[in-house]
Amino acid sequence: MRLGVLISGRGSNLQALIDARADPAYRAEIAIVVSNRADAAGLVRAAAAGIPSAVIADHDRASFAAKAHARLREYEVELVCLAGFMRILDTGFVEAWRDRMVNIHPSLLPAFPGLYPQRQALAAGVRFTGCTVHFVRPEIDTGPIIAQAVVPVHPDDDEVSLAARILVAEHRLYPLAVRLIAEGRTRIVAGKVEIAGWRVEELAALNPCEPPPDPLVSKRG
Ligand code: GRF
Protein backbone atom coordinates (compact mmCIF):
# COMPACT_ATOMS: atom_id res chain seq x y z
CA MET A 1 0.00 0.00 0.00
CA ARG A 2 1.39 3.36 -1.01
CA LEU A 3 1.38 5.98 1.76
CA GLY A 4 1.45 9.76 1.62
CA VAL A 5 2.60 11.22 4.95
CA LEU A 6 1.67 14.80 5.85
CA ILE A 7 3.90 16.50 8.41
CA SER A 8 4.56 19.94 9.89
CA GLY A 9 7.56 19.41 12.16
CA ARG A 10 9.79 16.94 13.97
CA GLY A 11 8.55 13.87 12.10
CA SER A 12 9.25 11.21 14.72
CA ASN A 13 6.07 9.35 13.76
CA LEU A 14 7.16 9.60 10.12
CA GLN A 15 10.43 8.01 11.26
CA ALA A 16 8.51 5.17 12.93
CA LEU A 17 6.71 4.51 9.63
CA ILE A 18 10.04 4.66 7.76
CA ASP A 19 11.61 2.22 10.23
CA ALA A 20 8.71 -0.21 9.82
CA ARG A 21 10.06 -0.98 6.34
CA ALA A 22 12.86 -2.96 8.00
CA ASP A 23 10.35 -5.82 8.29
CA PRO A 24 10.09 -7.37 4.81
CA ALA A 25 6.54 -8.48 5.63
CA TYR A 26 5.45 -4.86 6.14
CA ARG A 27 3.16 -4.08 3.24
CA ALA A 28 3.13 -0.29 3.33
CA GLU A 29 5.70 1.96 1.67
CA ILE A 30 5.93 5.73 1.84
CA ALA A 31 5.53 7.15 -1.66
CA ILE A 32 5.77 10.82 -0.71
CA VAL A 33 6.07 13.13 2.30
CA VAL A 34 4.26 16.47 2.13
CA SER A 35 5.08 19.26 4.56
CA ASN A 36 3.38 22.63 4.96
CA ARG A 37 6.65 24.00 6.39
CA ALA A 38 9.97 24.16 4.61
CA ASP A 39 11.85 23.93 7.91
CA ALA A 40 10.17 20.73 9.12
CA ALA A 41 12.83 18.38 10.52
CA GLY A 42 10.82 15.49 9.12
CA LEU A 43 11.89 16.54 5.62
CA VAL A 44 15.48 15.67 6.56
CA ARG A 45 14.32 12.25 7.72
CA ALA A 46 12.53 11.68 4.38
CA ALA A 47 15.61 12.71 2.42
CA ALA A 48 17.84 10.44 4.50
CA ALA A 49 15.52 7.54 3.69
CA GLY A 50 15.47 8.42 -0.02
CA ILE A 51 11.76 9.29 0.05
CA PRO A 52 10.51 12.09 -2.24
CA SER A 53 9.02 15.10 -0.51
CA ALA A 54 7.14 18.27 -1.35
CA VAL A 55 6.71 21.53 0.54
CA ILE A 56 3.31 23.14 0.10
CA ALA A 57 3.32 26.27 2.20
CA ASP A 58 0.05 27.84 0.97
CA HIS A 59 -1.84 29.39 3.84
CA ASP A 60 -5.11 29.32 1.97
CA ARG A 61 -6.84 26.07 2.96
CA ALA A 62 -8.38 25.39 -0.44
CA SER A 63 -5.21 26.02 -2.36
CA PHE A 64 -3.16 23.83 0.01
CA ALA A 65 -5.77 21.09 -0.44
CA ALA A 66 -5.73 21.32 -4.24
CA LYS A 67 -1.94 21.14 -4.45
CA ALA A 68 -1.62 18.37 -1.85
CA HIS A 69 -4.34 16.34 -3.55
CA ALA A 70 -2.57 16.65 -6.91
CA ARG A 71 0.76 15.52 -5.43
CA LEU A 72 -0.80 12.57 -3.63
CA ARG A 73 -2.51 11.47 -6.86
CA GLU A 74 0.70 11.94 -8.82
CA TYR A 75 2.48 9.54 -6.45
CA GLU A 76 -0.47 7.08 -6.56
CA VAL A 77 -1.05 7.34 -2.83
CA GLU A 78 -3.63 4.95 -1.41
CA LEU A 79 -3.57 5.98 2.24
CA VAL A 80 -2.81 9.43 3.68
CA CYS A 81 -1.17 9.45 7.12
CA LEU A 82 -1.27 12.67 9.12
CA ALA A 83 1.80 12.63 11.36
CA GLY A 84 2.04 15.80 13.39
CA PHE A 85 0.33 17.76 10.63
CA MET A 86 -0.69 20.96 12.38
CA ARG A 87 -3.13 22.58 9.97
CA ILE A 88 -6.87 22.16 9.68
CA LEU A 89 -7.69 20.47 6.39
CA ASP A 90 -10.25 21.61 3.88
CA THR A 91 -13.50 19.63 4.25
CA GLY A 92 -13.50 18.70 0.56
CA PHE A 93 -10.02 17.21 0.95
CA VAL A 94 -11.12 15.21 4.00
CA GLU A 95 -14.16 13.89 2.11
CA ALA A 96 -12.05 13.06 -0.96
CA TRP A 97 -9.88 10.82 1.25
CA ARG A 98 -12.71 9.47 3.39
CA ASP A 99 -11.71 6.10 4.91
CA ARG A 100 -8.31 6.50 3.22
CA MET A 101 -6.82 9.05 5.63
CA VAL A 102 -5.65 8.40 9.19
CA ASN A 103 -4.33 10.54 12.02
CA ILE A 104 -2.47 9.96 15.28
CA HIS A 105 -3.45 11.99 18.32
CA PRO A 106 -1.74 11.90 21.73
CA SER A 107 -4.78 11.13 23.89
CA LEU A 108 -7.37 8.41 24.28
CA LEU A 109 -9.99 9.97 22.03
CA PRO A 110 -12.73 11.09 22.38
CA ALA A 111 -11.05 12.53 25.49
CA PHE A 112 -8.89 15.61 25.00
CA PRO A 113 -9.21 16.45 21.30
CA GLY A 114 -7.59 19.53 19.78
CA LEU A 115 -4.54 21.37 21.03
CA TYR A 116 -2.48 20.53 24.14
CA PRO A 117 -4.00 17.10 24.88
CA GLN A 118 -1.29 16.33 27.46
CA ARG A 119 -2.06 19.61 29.29
CA GLN A 120 -5.74 18.71 29.18
CA ALA A 121 -5.00 15.25 30.64
CA LEU A 122 -2.95 16.74 33.49
CA ALA A 123 -5.65 19.31 34.22
CA ALA A 124 -8.32 16.59 34.35
CA GLY A 125 -6.23 14.49 36.77
CA VAL A 126 -6.66 11.28 34.79
CA ARG A 127 -4.43 8.35 35.85
CA PHE A 128 -4.14 7.05 32.31
CA THR A 129 -4.02 8.66 28.93
CA GLY A 130 -2.46 7.44 25.69
CA CYS A 131 -2.73 7.78 21.96
CA THR A 132 -5.21 7.02 19.22
CA VAL A 133 -4.99 6.26 15.51
CA HIS A 134 -8.26 6.98 13.75
CA PHE A 135 -9.76 7.49 10.32
CA VAL A 136 -10.20 11.21 9.68
CA ARG A 137 -13.55 12.96 9.59
CA PRO A 138 -14.06 16.72 9.05
CA GLU A 139 -14.56 17.57 12.73
CA ILE A 140 -11.19 17.82 14.44
CA ASP A 141 -9.81 14.62 16.03
CA THR A 142 -12.94 12.61 15.31
CA GLY A 143 -13.49 9.48 13.24
CA PRO A 144 -13.57 5.70 13.60
CA ILE A 145 -10.87 4.49 16.01
CA ILE A 146 -8.42 1.91 14.65
CA ALA A 147 -6.01 1.49 17.55
CA GLN A 148 -5.27 2.94 20.96
CA ALA A 149 -2.46 2.52 23.46
CA VAL A 150 -2.75 3.29 27.15
CA VAL A 151 -0.03 5.27 28.94
CA PRO A 152 0.07 5.98 32.70
CA VAL A 153 0.24 9.51 34.07
CA HIS A 154 2.84 9.83 36.83
CA PRO A 155 2.21 12.14 39.83
CA ASP A 156 5.27 14.26 39.00
CA ASP A 157 4.53 14.55 35.28
CA ASP A 158 4.60 17.82 33.42
CA GLU A 159 3.51 18.26 29.82
CA VAL A 160 6.98 17.47 28.52
CA SER A 161 7.49 14.24 30.45
CA LEU A 162 3.97 13.02 29.69
CA ALA A 163 4.29 13.85 25.98
CA ALA A 164 7.58 11.94 25.84
CA ARG A 165 6.04 8.83 27.41
CA ILE A 166 3.06 8.96 25.06
CA LEU A 167 5.37 9.40 22.07
CA VAL A 168 7.05 6.06 22.78
CA ALA A 169 3.63 4.42 22.50
CA GLU A 170 2.82 6.42 19.34
CA HIS A 171 5.88 5.04 17.61
CA ARG A 172 4.62 1.50 18.21
CA LEU A 173 0.98 2.21 17.53
CA TYR A 174 1.09 4.09 14.22
CA PRO A 175 3.01 1.46 12.24
CA LEU A 176 0.76 -1.21 13.73
CA ALA A 177 -2.44 0.58 12.73
CA VAL A 178 -1.14 1.24 9.22
CA ARG A 179 -0.15 -2.41 8.90
CA LEU A 180 -3.68 -3.54 9.80
CA ILE A 181 -5.05 -1.29 7.03
CA ALA A 182 -2.38 -2.33 4.51
CA GLU A 183 -3.19 -5.97 5.14
CA GLY A 184 -6.85 -5.23 4.38
CA ARG A 185 -7.91 -6.24 7.86
CA THR A 186 -9.89 -3.15 8.85
CA ARG A 187 -13.51 -2.55 8.01
CA ILE A 188 -15.72 0.32 9.11
CA VAL A 189 -19.11 -0.92 10.27
CA ALA A 190 -21.64 1.56 11.65
CA GLY A 191 -18.91 4.09 12.41
CA LYS A 192 -16.67 1.62 14.24
CA VAL A 193 -13.58 -0.20 13.01
CA GLU A 194 -13.67 -3.99 12.95
CA ILE A 195 -10.32 -5.77 12.72
CA ALA A 196 -10.08 -9.24 11.26
CA GLY A 197 -7.74 -11.91 12.59
CA TRP A 198 -6.28 -10.58 15.85
CA ARG A 199 -2.83 -11.77 16.79
CA VAL A 200 -1.58 -11.76 20.36
CA GLU A 201 1.28 -9.32 19.77
CA GLU A 202 -1.16 -6.85 18.26
CA LEU A 203 -3.45 -7.15 21.27
CA ALA A 204 -0.49 -6.25 23.44
CA ALA A 205 0.22 -3.12 21.46
CA LEU A 206 -3.39 -2.06 21.37
CA ASN A 207 -4.10 -2.87 25.00
CA PRO A 208 -0.80 -2.73 26.88
CA CYS A 209 -2.64 -2.99 30.17
CA GLU A 210 -4.55 -6.12 29.18
CA PRO A 211 -4.45 -8.07 32.45
CA PRO A 212 -3.27 -11.69 32.56
CA PRO A 213 -6.01 -14.31 32.96
CA ASP A 214 -7.49 -14.31 36.49
CA PRO A 215 -7.40 -17.84 37.95
CA LEU A 216 -10.43 -17.00 40.12
CA VAL A 217 -12.52 -16.52 37.00
CA SER A 218 -13.28 -19.88 35.44
CA LYS A 219 -13.23 -19.94 31.66
CA ARG A 220 -16.51 -21.85 31.75
CA GLY A 221 -18.02 -19.09 33.88
C1 GRF B 1 2.62 13.66 17.96
O1 GRF B 1 2.47 13.71 19.35
C2 GRF B 1 1.31 13.39 17.28
O2 GRF B 1 0.48 12.52 18.00
C3 GRF B 1 0.68 14.75 17.22
O3 GRF B 1 1.75 15.63 16.94
C4 GRF B 1 2.97 15.05 17.39
C5 GRF B 1 3.87 14.96 16.23
O4 GRF B 1 5.16 14.52 16.54
N1 GRF B 1 -0.39 14.80 16.25
P1 GRF B 1 6.13 14.08 15.39
O5 GRF B 1 6.23 15.25 14.39
O6 GRF B 1 5.60 12.84 14.74
O7 GRF B 1 7.45 13.84 16.08
Side-chain angles (χ1 to χ4, degrees):
M1 174 170 267
R2 292 174 66 78
L3 311 179
V5 182
L6 267 57
I7 62 166
S8 296
R10 181 177 54 186
S12 69
N13 279 289
L14 164 66
Q15 189 68 52
L17 293 170
I18 291 172
D19 293 348
R21 301 185 305 183
D23 176 359
Y26 200 78
R27 295 198 203 155
E29 54 164 332
I30 304 172
I32 183 160
V33 171
V34 175
S35 173
N36 66 312
R37 296 182 57 125
D39 62 353
L43 290 169
V44 180
R45 298 179 191 273
I51 298 167
S53 63
V55 175
I56 304 174
D58 302 46
H59 283 288
D60 179 72
R61 230 179 256 183
S63 104
F64 175 87
K67 288 184 187 173
H69 189 71
R71 273 307 172 106
L72 296 168
R73 293 296 300 270
E74 182 189 338
Y75 281 84
E76 297 177 345
V77 165
E78 298 167 280
L79 181 72
V80 176
C81 300
L82 306 180
F85 182 71
M86 297 305 288
R87 288 199 51 196
I88 294 174
L89 286 163
D90 175 79
T91 307
F93 182 89
V94 175
E95 288 302 345
W97 292 92
R98 191 181 175 86
D99 301 345
R100 295 183 303 145
M101 178 155 63
V102 294
N103 179 44
I104 185 154
H105 183 77
S107 76
L108 292 173
L109 290 172
F112 317 135
L115 290 175
Y116 311 117
Q118 299 90 352
R119 190 183 301 175
Q120 294 183 54
L122 291 170
V126 293
R127 300 312 197 222
F128 291 95
T129 181
C131 50
T132 303
V133 180
H134 63 96
F135 286 106
V136 175
R137 294 291 182 264
E139 218 176 308
I140 197 136
D141 297 326
T142 64
I145 290 168
I146 303 156
Q148 292 187 306
V150 176
V151 173
V153 181
H154 294 175
D156 60 350
D157 266 335
D158 57 20
E159 265 182 88
V160 173
S161 62
L162 182 56
R165 195 174 309 115
I166 295 171
L167 203 59
V168 174
E170 291 185 44
H171 296 160
R172 289 175 62 207
L173 195 70
Y174 213 176
L176 165 68
V178 168
R179 181 156 66 76
L180 294 173
I181 299 167
E183 291 177 356
R185 293 166 55 199
T186 57
R187 202 162 66 109
I188 301 174
V189 181
K192 292 196 272 184
V193 177
E194 288 183 1
I195 296 172
W198 287 101
R199 289 195 284 265
V200 171
E201 66 274 18
E202 290 166 352
L203 269 175
L206 297 170
N207 302 301
C209 293
E210 191 81 18
D214 182 340
L216 297 177
V217 180
S218 139
K219 270 194 182 155
R220 282 186 226 144

